[in-house]
Amino acid sequence: MTLLVCCLAVAIALATCPVGEAVDCTPDAADPYCKCSGSGFTLDLSKLSFPMHQIPDTQEYGTYEYTFSPCSTVDCNGGGDSSGVACQENVGSSGGEVFVARKVSDRQPAWSVASLNPLEFTVTYCDGDLTGGVEDLERCAIVTFKDDGSHGDLDASMEKETSTDTQLSYNFMLQGKDISKVRAGAGGGGGGGSGTAAGVVGLVLISVFIAAVLTYFIAGMAVNYNRGTRGCEMVPNATFWRDLPFLIKDGFLFMISPCYNREHYEKF
């Protein structure tokens, strides 16, 4: 019975382990726009196929399409500047191409990993063209990558625009089974992968514990019944179960005995 209690304690601890926690990921020194590394893992966007062209605008702000290419930059407007990471094109008019984000040497993108299993992370790229006008905001691309089995291999869309006092951000969503290819390395740095595994193990142990307890009581009562025992005495080790509350009390009093003087201890 002691073994069953220990198993239950371990199972509860494992089942309540955090699942899908955020983890740190540091941009790669050589290629911060394409890679980041954490404790035991690396995220490498070059595993996906870039550049991605004709990414639709789901909010229908206009007849816009987008290009995204973080690992091999592009020239957004044909003007000779090939530092583009994300581009916007107004397909309804000529000359409407702008840089949403650029690759520059003195500024790194920001990586934020929400979960390693399933994989979900966001990268913020800035240094795009200014919007002009009174506000003159800096354009940025906030790109969320999500391993989502409900989609195809890889779907991309521009979901919405958000703004602050200094920035106009284009929020992209890339989701699908191919996102899982981005991650390399075995470790999870204490994040989602290990948490998910621990939760599954905990649930299995709880199930085993419940099955063992039911087997213990049902089989024990059946054996005692065949021996002619009736009533409460059919319960296996009935004396132990009757004494259990008092044993718990005695154990509790013993544990707190250092908080009392010797005279009180002798009374136990």
Side-chain angles (χ1 to χ4, degrees):
M1 194 63 198
T2 302
L3 178 60
L4 292 177
V5 174
C6 291
C7 288
L8 178 61
V10 173
I12 292 174
L14 289 173
T16 55
C17 283
V19 177
E21 282 190 342
V23 293
D24 295 328
C25 197
T26 304
D28 183 75
D31 196 358
Y33 282 74
C34 197
K35 298 179 183 179
C36 78
S37 298
S39 178
F41 72 95
T42 298
L43 300 181
D44 184 358
L45 297 182
S46 67
K47 303 296 183 182
L48 301 176
S49 179
F50 293 113
M52 294 181 179
H53 296 290
Q54 297 180 325
I55 298 174
D57 184 339
T58 60
Q59 296 300 307
E60 298 181 355
Y61 292 111
T63 53
Y64 295 118
E65 291 180 347
Y66 298 85
T67 297
F68 179 56
S69 185
C71 300
S72 56
T73 53
V74 296
D75 184 349
C76 290
N77 57 17
D81 182 354
S82 59
S83 64
V85 173
C87 311
Q88 180 193 62
E89 178 184 2
N90 188 343
V91 296
S93 64
S94 60
E97 299 84 3
V98 298
F99 286 80
V100 173
R102 282 185 175 88
K103 182 177 183 179
V104 295
S105 59
D106 60 348
R107 187 175 181 182
Q108 291 187 341
W111 294 71
S112 175
V113 182
S115 170
L116 289 177
N117 190 9
L119 182 59
E120 181 177 352
F121 61 98
T122 300
V123 191
T124 301
Y125 305 93
C126 287
D127 292 287
D129 290 339
L130 299 179
T131 58
V134 177
E135 295 179 328
D136 205 21
L137 304 179
E138 176 191 28
R139 285 184 169 92
C140 293
I142 301 176
V143 187
T144 297
F145 300 80
K146 187 175 182 180
D147 180 5
D148 187 349
S150 64
H151 288 73
D153 293 337
L154 185 61
D155 294 334
S157 61
M158 204 291 287
E159 299 291 312
K160 61 181 179 179
E161 293 180 7
T162 56
S163 62
T164 66
D165 292 338
T166 59
Q167 292 180 347
L168 173 63
S169 298
Y170 299 79
N171 294 263
F172 294 86
M173 175 66 75
L174 273 65
Q175 54 191 340
K177 295 178 290 185
D178 280 358
I179 298 299
S180 61
K181 299 177 182 178
V182 169
R183 180 185 171 188
S194 59
T196 302
V200 172
V201 172
L203 291 176
V204 170
L205 288 177
I206 289 177
S207 300
V208 172
F209 172 81
I210 293 174
V213 170
L214 291 176
T215 302
Y216 167 81
F217 281 105
I218 293 174
M221 293 176 70
V223 170
N224 288 338
Y225 182 86
N226 289 334
R227 291 176 176 175
T229 306
R230 298 293 184 271
C232 294
E233 296 303 318
M234 288 174 56
V235 177
N237 300 308
T239 302
F240 167 79
W241 293 110
R242 276 195 292 263
D243 293 339
L244 183 60
F246 304 100
L247 295 173
I248 294 174
K249 175 185 175 182
D250 290 343
F252 177 77
L253 293 175
F254 180 79
M255 285 190 297
I256 66 172
S257 61
C259 301
Y260 291 83
N261 58 36
R262 183 69 180 177
E263 180 181 354
H264 284 90
Y265 181 82
E266 295 293 337
K267 290 181 180 180
F268 296 160

